[in-house]
Amino acid sequence: PSKAIDSFKELKPDVAILDIGLPEMDGYQLLSELQKLSKATLFFSQSGWGSEKHFQRSKDVGFRRHFVKPVDFNELLSVIAKQIDSAGEN
């Protein structure tokens, strides 16, 4: 987790896709830490878990959208582009 946080600080990404099922710190916890570092980054979650409970929890903690693996690359790009466009309008 600390390596991911250090990389995030260095890269300052506009978009970050976090896996939920991480071993030491899950994606929800990692999101909480990264949100403290950037209000501008758009965060998306991904995992093999795709129940309504997982979609809702991801939304509740601040992810823009939850993707179920395997993620369709074209859908991912489309969603990110729409989110960037809508974020720029605010």
Side-chain angles (χ1 to χ4, degrees), residues 73-86:
F73 187 69
N74 290 324
E75 178 186 7
L76 176 66
L77 290 179
S78 175
V79 168
I80 290 171
K82 287 176 186 172
Q83 290 289 322
I84 289 171
D85 287 345
S86 67

Side-chain angles (χ1 to χ4, degrees), residues 22-43:
L22 300 172
E24 295 173 32
M25 173 188 285
D26 69 27
Y28 304 118
Q29 295 165 315
L30 181 56
L31 173 67
S32 177
E33 293 302 311
L34 297 179
Q35 285 175 321
K36 295 173 189 174
L37 301 172
S38 174
K39 301 295 183 208
T41 302
L42 300 175
F43 292 99

